[in-house]
Amino acid sequence: MKNLQQFTLILTTLATGLMAGLFAAFAYSVMPGLARSSDRTFVEAMQNINKAILNPFFMLPFMAAIPLLGLAVVLAWRGHGRAALPWLIAALVLYLLAFMVTSGLNVPLNDQLAKAGSPDRIKDPAAVRENFESTWAAWNIVRALLHTAAFGCLLWALILSGADRTQETAASASPTRRALAAEYRSSSTYLGPGWGTESRTAQPGPMPQKPQARWAGGRRG
């Protein structure tokens, strides 16, 4: 069960990190770059991006992170890594908020942009851009911050979970150490500080000495 929780937490952290990196890249790279483009180029580029991003490499981590986070919360709540539970709950709430921003605000704007039609046939691309760009970019920054905060919570949860496993391992090893120490004490006699121990195993006594012959005046008497 503990291995399942650790594996789930790692997958969730990875998926959330990918989403945080993706939306952050849009905030500080993609959108500022497109802001320098012409109106028709901007509309065409965003329409193509919105079509291309609907692939398994995006949808799998984006959708799978929610059930994985829920599973991680349940496993922690059942007693495996309780120290990480508040951070997992916080990450779940933050991710759900970011998900609602994407599905409730950014996606409808994407659909609105797609309904404008082909950029070559749009009569007023500047108006289409104006109704899309600033609002989409603002909410993208919001979801990027939410995903990044969720990612940070999960990283801290991983640290706490690892520390908890280390403590449990040390605690499980303590009885073995105590048993070894007791066995050592039972086979040895402690003599006090500076003296060490003396084995209770019987030691051979001194070798008997041969009787010495008595000499008197150089003669045997």
Side-chain angles (χ1 to χ4, degrees):
M1 190 67 72
K2 295 179 183 178
N3 291 333
L4 174 62
Q5 182 188 10
Q6 197 73 4
F7 183 69
T8 302
L9 186 53
I10 291 173
L11 285 181
T12 308
T13 305
L14 179 61
T16 305
L18 288 173
M19 293 302 100
L22 173 65
F23 297 134
F26 267 95
Y28 60 70
S29 177
V30 176
M31 298 308 293
L34 290 178
R36 303 176 182 180
S37 305
S38 64
D39 297 333
R40 201 172 299 277
T41 299
F42 175 87
V43 172
E44 182 180 8
M46 285 303 304
Q47 285 181 340
N48 291 334
I49 289 174
N50 293 334
K51 292 177 183 177
I53 202 170
L54 297 178
N55 62 76
F57 297 103
F58 167 75
M59 296 302 297
L60 182 60
F62 180 65
M63 300 298 296
I66 296 176
L68 286 173
L69 256 172
L71 178 59
V73 169
V74 171
L75 292 174
W77 178 73
R78 293 182 63 181
H80 302 287
R82 278 292 185 92
L85 181 58
W87 297 96
L88 292 172
I89 294 175
L92 178 59
V93 172
L94 290 168
Y95 197 99
L96 288 174
L97 289 174
F99 183 86
M100 288 188 291
V101 169
T102 298
S103 59
L105 296 167
N106 290 95
V107 170
L109 286 171
N110 293 340
D111 295 337
Q112 175 184 317
L113 187 67
K115 291 178 181 178
S118 174
D120 297 333
R121 298 179 180 179
I122 297 177
K123 297 181 179 180
D124 190 1
V128 174
R129 178 178 185 174
E130 183 178 358
N131 293 330
F132 174 87
E133 183 178 16
S134 59
T135 305
W136 193 96
W139 285 114
N140 177 71
I141 293 174
V142 172
R143 66 179 177 176
L145 292 174
L146 290 171
H147 278 290
T148 302
F151 180 57
C153 290
L154 288 171
L155 287 178
W156 188 244
L158 270 175
I159 294 173
L160 293 177
S161 178
D164 186 66
R165 288 171 66 91
T166 302
Q167 291 177 359
E168 290 182 0
T169 303
S172 63
S174 296
T176 304
R177 294 177 181 175
R178 287 195 295 267
L180 291 174
E183 182 179 356
Y184 176 74
R185 287 193 298 268
S186 65
S187 61
S188 304
T189 302
Y190 183 65
L191 299 179
W195 290 92
T197 59
E198 178 184 1
S199 175
R200 292 182 179 177
T201 306
Q203 299 293 334
M207 294 294 293
Q209 297 181 356
K210 295 182 178 180
Q212 296 181 355
R214 296 182 179 179
W215 294 85
R219 297 181 181 181
R220 181 176 300 178

